[in-house]
Amino acid sequence: MSLPSTPQRPPTTPSLTGPLLRQFTFRHWRLFPSRSLLLLLLLSLGIAVFLSIRLANRAAVSSFANFTDVLTRQSDLILSSPSGPLPEAILDTLRERCQLPQLPSAHIEIVPVVETICAQPRTDAANQIGSRSTFTLLGVDLVALQNFAADAHLDSSWLDQNNATQPSNGNKNSIGNLLHKNNAVFCSSTLAQRLALHVGSLLPIVLNDREVQLEIVGIIPHRADQPDAPAGLLVMDLPALQTLSDKTGLLDRVELIFPRALKKGPQREQLIDQLRTSLAPNVTARTPEARQAAAELMTRGFRLNLTVLSLISLLVGLYLIFQALDAAVVRRRAEIAILRALGVREWEVRRAWLWEAALLGFGGGIVGVLGGWALAQITVRAVSKTVNALYYANNAEAASLHWGEALGAFALSICCSILAGWLPAKRAAATPPAQVWAQGSAVPPTNSRSGPHLGWILVALAITLSFLPPLRMSGGSRFALAGYLSALLGVVGAGLLAGDALKIAAWCGQWLSQNSAPLRLALSHLRAPTSRHRWAAAGLLCAVSMTGGMAVLVSSFEQSVSTWITHALQADLFLTSGANQAASAYNRLPSALWRKIVQSPDVMDWDTALIIPAELPNAQIRLVGSNLSFAKRHQQLSWLQAPTNDSIFDPERNAALCLVSETFAIRFKVQRLDFVHIPTPKGSRELQICGVYTDYGDEQGLVLVEGRHLGEWFDTDAVSTLCLSLKPGVDSEQQRALLQTEHPSLSIFTNVHLRAEVMRIFRQTFAITYALEAIGVIVALAGLGITLASILAERKTELTTLRALGMSRSDIAALAAWEGCILALAGTAGGLLSSVGLGALLIFVINKQTFGWTLQPTLPWQALILLGLCVPLSGTLVAWFVGRKGADLPADRPL
């Protein structure tokens, strides 16, 4: 019985990838350096935009980091109340419970903290929200902090600095000299350099209803082995800040620092669990990592949307890489066939082509990372302003290069390039050796029959995905994964259908081509469009549809916000603390002040609002106390689910009732007549929801209750804002000027001014969006130019024949211009049509699932018409320029 023969492996041969790259790829790059460089730059632009948004977002979130890291390096546990401050008496309880029997010689350091937001005073007539710098005033026990720093071998030399009138005489004496001052602060070195501050300087700030002169008694230096002090950090002695901020006997949080032996490992977790179980129910304990995660959770939807938008230009860049490599396959087809005839195998050709795509991604990634870091220095300010206005105060002004983000962007560049080069590599490898001998160098027709079918399949799949629910994450936040996939597949599917739009455009244009030879020639090329024609139109369609879809979303958002503020802002004047320049600034107006103002004979009606941040399980919300009868009289609320009776508007009957915003209802899956449990210093309160209303000022969720009851629950009669309705005939501008003169530390807005401020902040929020859209369109137009330049380069023989038949360079430029114009028209028309569907997806699916807002759909006719005119015109000009340059044939050049 004979054994089966073992198949013999082909003899191994040395890899040809290196020689192929040198002789086959790099040679063409040297022959056409401008084209290769432009393609690399366009790819790097997409990577740079993506990375810059990521770095800017990271900088804005990182600025929320625990400020006491500068003082104590890193706390291990943070104690706070789910709503309102902690009583200072909690410190006695903690001292009893923080004993460590397992480490008698060590103990847990207890760091009580008071934190508040203040702002620079108004220096001119401008009264813009968010226009003034904000500072974080941090109150800590300086004596205890210095002792702890000495025990932990931390640098506390900056605590010994003092002004010239009271020189330092040692650590304890130096700190002792500060204790009698209620305005002594330490500032960061960054702030000292920016404002030219030094020891002894006075820094004016606005806190609550008054202006305070703070004295700089020390500057926190920069040290390489410790975290930098945030630019807006001001450190005070704890009792001084308690008095200054009207928080006597209260603490915002308590931070616990474990001994070094318990900093890591299971013992740390066991100690944290023991402390949590021993705390009162109204005290929450979380690690600094959890606190940082809460800040990230708050802005997750905003950051995800910016990240997705930043991928627009990268998506268009993929179209360009595909076009360029596909065109290179056609140009080098004769060389590929010769290589195949010489024995180069299919997989070697494919690998060489993929290496070319990877090298493009490598170069684009390097340039993109460097450009992204530079661009982040610009975008970080815009992102910081938006985060300030919508979420929390931060002082991010520069973005550092995070290596994790940079490596991620670099890997994205290479992966995207390989993905875009996969199909061209497959086509190159499929080139048969005999093709050149049988057909010369002619380009075989492109089989595009599967394009429309695949396009319709993707569009149908996109419609199906739009009906899927969002992914729910911790804290009730949602991510519209299916919605984003629907948008991607819909745009790609519409792009694949762009080839049929070219045929339709060519058919329509034949009626206008009777007297124009360039137009007839252009139409002849587009009646049977090549794959490069199709992908150029697809790239334009992608950019236009994304831009138009975002325009629909922004227009609908603007219309909805405009209608909302018309209902919500019914008073004539609105007063708040001048320190409230950020969403997390909760400065208040004391009772004596606002009660005096409302007693003015010019005031006809008034309302107050008390805003208190609260924490439900793993979710931040805001409690708002207001005069609900005032809201009813002035019809301030736009209902999604209106109350069934008037009990909610009667202060005698609404103590256990509330209203919630739409975002709260969606986030926590509640509706009218359901119950919610709200934490207060006097225990949890069960409230029944009487109605759901629309609010576009907060995406975390609002619970609206009667202001009188909220003040009783939190033992305060101070308010966050005051609204005044003036008597008929009283001029609101004059009244504002009088109140501003009497109370310069307040921000006072007329109805017209505040509405303008709301719309300004809204447009500022979308400023980055506009820039991202413009970049996407520019990249697509550049891709159109690259495509036409490649096509004209392949038609050198045809163009030479046309010149011999009498066509001038202007005629050839006109030929290219007509071809580019029709391509741009087809891509723009398809993009505008798909932008309507994309806009509907953004409004009713992605926005609803991510933010929970119901928007009034509005078509921005002016923006869409402008887009429909500018893109074809720009495409025509780009094509004419490319055609003019492409008409420079060798026969035209002087010998």
Side-chain angles (χ1 to χ4, degrees), residues 323-663:
Q323 293 175 60
L325 294 178
D326 192 53
V329 172
V330 178
R331 288 195 308 269
R332 307 178 201 173
R333 192 176 297 273
E335 298 181 38
I336 299 173
I338 294 173
L339 290 174
R340 292 295 313 281
L342 293 176
V344 178
R345 287 162 292 186
E346 289 187 24
W347 65 268
E348 290 178 319
V349 174
R350 184 186 300 112
R351 187 166 68 176
W353 218 264
L354 290 176
W355 266 107
E356 181 172 349
L359 289 174
L360 278 174
F362 183 86
I366 292 177
V367 178
V369 167
L370 296 177
W373 174 78
L375 187 59
Q377 311 312 313
I378 301 174
T379 58
V380 67
R381 291 177 175 83
V383 172
S384 178
K385 287 182 179 180
T386 300
V387 172
N388 249 339
L390 299 181
Y391 302 104
Y392 48 74
N394 74 98
N395 296 282
E397 295 186 352
S400 58
L401 183 59
H402 186 270
W403 288 110
E405 298 285 3
L407 290 175
F410 184 75
L412 179 66
S413 176
I414 296 178
C415 291
C416 288
S417 297
I418 294 176
L419 178 64
W422 179 261
L423 187 56
K426 184 178 179 181
R427 290 181 179 178
T431 303
Q435 181 176 359
V436 172
W437 323 126
Q439 300 183 10
S441 58
V443 179
T446 302
N447 182 12
S448 59
R449 294 180 181 179
S450 62
H453 296 88
L454 180 59
W456 287 115
I457 291 174
L458 292 180
V459 170
L461 185 57
I463 295 174
T464 303
L465 287 174
S466 66
F467 291 98
L468 296 181
L471 296 179
R472 284 193 170 266
M473 296 176 287
S474 59
S477 62
R478 302 165 302 281
F479 178 47
L481 176 61
Y484 285 121
L485 289 176
S486 174
L488 175 63
L489 295 180
V491 169
V492 173
L496 293 177
L497 298 175
D500 292 335
L502 288 176
K503 295 179 181 180
I504 296 173
W507 180 81
C508 294
Q510 66 183 356
W511 304 101
L512 304 174
S513 63
Q514 302 301 323
N515 300 319
S516 174
L519 178 56
R520 288 198 300 272
L521 288 171
L523 293 175
S524 68
H525 291 130
L526 295 176
R527 289 192 187 97
T530 65
S531 61
R532 273 152 303 143
H533 287 113
R534 292 175 177 273
W535 286 107
L540 274 173
L541 184 144
C542 172
V544 171
S545 62
M546 289 287 191
T547 304
M550 285 304 303
V552 172
L553 173 64
V554 172
S555 176
S556 301
F557 213 138
E558 186 170 5
Q559 180 63 36
S560 301
V561 170
S562 178
T563 303
W564 167 64
I565 62 176
T566 301
H567 284 281
L569 305 182
Q570 292 287 334
D572 296 304
L573 292 178
F574 301 86
L575 297 81
T576 188
S577 169
N580 291 332
Q581 297 289 304
S584 61
Y586 295 102
N587 285 258
R588 298 175 184 173
L589 308 180
S591 175
L593 173 66
W594 68 263
R595 292 186 186 278
K596 176 183 176 181
I597 293 175
V598 300
Q599 291 174 359
S600 169
D602 294 325
V603 176
M604 179 180 64
D605 200 359
W606 55 272
D607 184 25
T608 60
L610 173 62
I611 304 174
I612 298 176
E615 184 177 349
L616 299 185
N618 298 320
Q620 295 285 339
I621 65 165
R622 286 175 182 159
L623 302 176
V624 181
S626 181
N627 185 348
L628 296 180
S629 62
F630 181 91
K632 180 183 178 183
R633 290 195 301 272
H634 295 275
Q635 298 181 350
Q636 287 184 308
L637 301 176
S638 300
W639 298 109
L640 291 174
Q641 296 179 10
T644 56
N645 55 63
D646 290 340
S647 299
I648 185 65
F649 303 110
D650 185 356
E652 302 300 327
R653 296 186 293 164
N654 62 8
L657 305 177
C658 70
L659 302 171
V660 299
S661 65
E662 178 186 14
T663 53

Side-chain angles (χ1 to χ4, degrees), residues 263-280:
K263 281 285 185 180
K264 297 179 181 179
Q267 289 184 331
R268 178 178 183 267
E269 301 302 322
Q270 292 175 4
L271 180 57
I272 291 177
D273 292 338
Q274 292 174 7
L275 290 173
R276 280 175 173 163
T277 56
S278 66
L279 295 173

Side-chain angles (χ1 to χ4, degrees), residues 144-160:
L145 177 64
Q146 189 180 47
N147 293 335
F148 167 72
D151 294 339
H153 306 289
L154 299 180
D155 178 29
S156 61
S157 59
W158 56 274
L159 288 172
D160 301 332

Side-chain angles (χ1 to χ4, degrees), residues 22-50:
R22 289 192 298 270
Q23 301 298 327
F24 187 59
T25 297
F26 296 154
R27 180 171 61 86
H28 284 276
W29 286 7
R30 290 193 299 269
L31 292 175
F32 305 99
S34 58
R35 185 185 305 166
S36 303
L37 181 61
L38 180 59
L39 186 64
L40 185 144
L41 290 177
L42 291 176
L43 173 63
S44 67
L45 178 61
I47 295 298
V49 171
F50 170 78

Side-chain angles (χ1 to χ4, degrees), residues 98-112:
C98 288
Q99 303 297 324
L100 298 174
Q102 65 270 38
L103 293 175
S105 60
H107 60 279
I108 297 176
E109 293 291 341
I110 302 173
V111 183

Side-chain angles (χ1 to χ4, degrees), residues 79 87-101 103-104 106-113 140-145 147 238-239 242 251 253-257 271 275 278-279:
L79 309 182
E88 195 169 3
I90 194 177
L91 297 178
D92 295 331
T93 305
L94 288 175
R95 292 188 185 99
E96 296 176 359
R97 298 180 180 179
C98 288
Q99 303 297 324
L100 298 174
L103 293 175
H107 60 279
I108 297 176
E109 293 291 341
I110 302 173
V111 183
V113 177
V140 292
D141 188 341
L142 294 179
V143 175
L145 177 64
N147 293 335
L238 179 69
Q242 286 177 315
L251 303 172
R253 64 179 183 269
V254 178
E255 306 201 9
L256 304 182
I257 305 170
L271 180 57
L275 290 173
S278 66
L279 295 173

